[in-house]
Amino acid sequence: PWQTIWLEEGSGGCRIRSASARLLDGPVALAGAPTRVRVEVHLEDAAGPCAIGMRLRSVVRWEGAEVARGEGIGPFSASLEISGPVHFWSPDQPALYSGTASLCDFAGDWCGDTVDFDFGLRWLSISGAEDVGPQQERELLLNGGRLLQHGVLHQAYWPESLISPPSHDVLA
């Protein structure tokens, strides 16, 4: 099916290519306390440099309601705090926040390029020293819980044939 499209001229200079969010305080978030998040943007190379004084402003929403707002000291990142508890992303419960990142002048009177994006917050870590296997191996934890991984076994793996041996000679 055909759809009508249109092109709009963008503002000169600074334009956002992509935006992402990073959880900074995983253990604090797991405890249900207010948590720091950093929103980062990557800018278009061909768009030219940002004007002096441009800064990134960001808003984070959960189910449509604003939960955090922050501003950076430059055009590349903004730190903000989400009041607890944080809704974690997991394969069983893929919770997604919505974010808006805007490049604004120093006074905040004018904002140029704005990008809306969705993101999940998760915390990857490894099990503690008291929880190790017989060969001192540790487990991967997602949001503080064990994460079962499916993949190729560490032993008996041959790049040319994957799991099965390429010939009987290699087993001897």
Side-chain angles (χ1 to χ4, degrees), residues 77-115:
S77 69
S79 293
L80 42 97
E81 186 174 270
I82 295 177
S83 58
V86 170
H87 302 277
F88 285 103
W89 180 95
S90 71
D92 298 330
Q93 295 179 333
L96 292 178
Y97 286 87
S98 296
T100 301
S102 302
L103 293 171
C104 303
D105 67 354
F106 183 75
D109 299 331
W110 176 84
C111 290
D113 199 16
T114 297
V115 172

Side-chain angles (χ1 to χ4, degrees), residues 63-76:
E63 295 181 340
E66 183 178 313
V67 294
R69 178 178 288 268
E71 186 172 290
I73 57 171
F76 301 108

Side-chain angles (χ1 to χ4, degrees), residues 43-74:
L43 304 177
E44 289 284 349
D45 294 334
C50 292
I52 294 174
M54 290 293 281
R55 56 181 56 203
L56 181 69
R57 286 194 173 167
S58 186
V59 176
V60 172
R61 291 175 297 283
W62 172 254
E63 295 181 340
E66 183 178 313
V67 294
R69 178 178 288 268
E71 186 172 290
I73 57 171

Side-chain angles (χ1 to χ4, degrees), residues 103-172:
L103 293 171
C104 303
D105 67 354
F106 183 75
D109 299 331
W110 176 84
C111 290
D113 199 16
T114 297
V115 172
D116 293 321
F117 63 103
D118 295 325
F119 62 94
L121 295 175
R122 61 198 181 278
W123 184 253
L124 286 171
S125 58
I126 57 172
S127 60
E130 70 283 349
D131 191 18
V132 296
Q135 297 178 351
Q136 301 303 311
E137 67 271 12
R138 295 184 179 191
E139 293 184 284
L140 181 63
L141 305 176
L142 174 64
N143 305 328
R146 287 184 169 84
L147 180 64
L148 178 62
Q149 298 180 67
H150 297 282
V152 177
L153 297 173
H154 179 66
Q155 71 276 7
Y157 172 75
W158 289 272
E160 57 273 356
S161 63
L162 300 179
I163 295 175
S164 61
S167 68
H168 290 290
D169 298 335
V170 297
L171 296 175

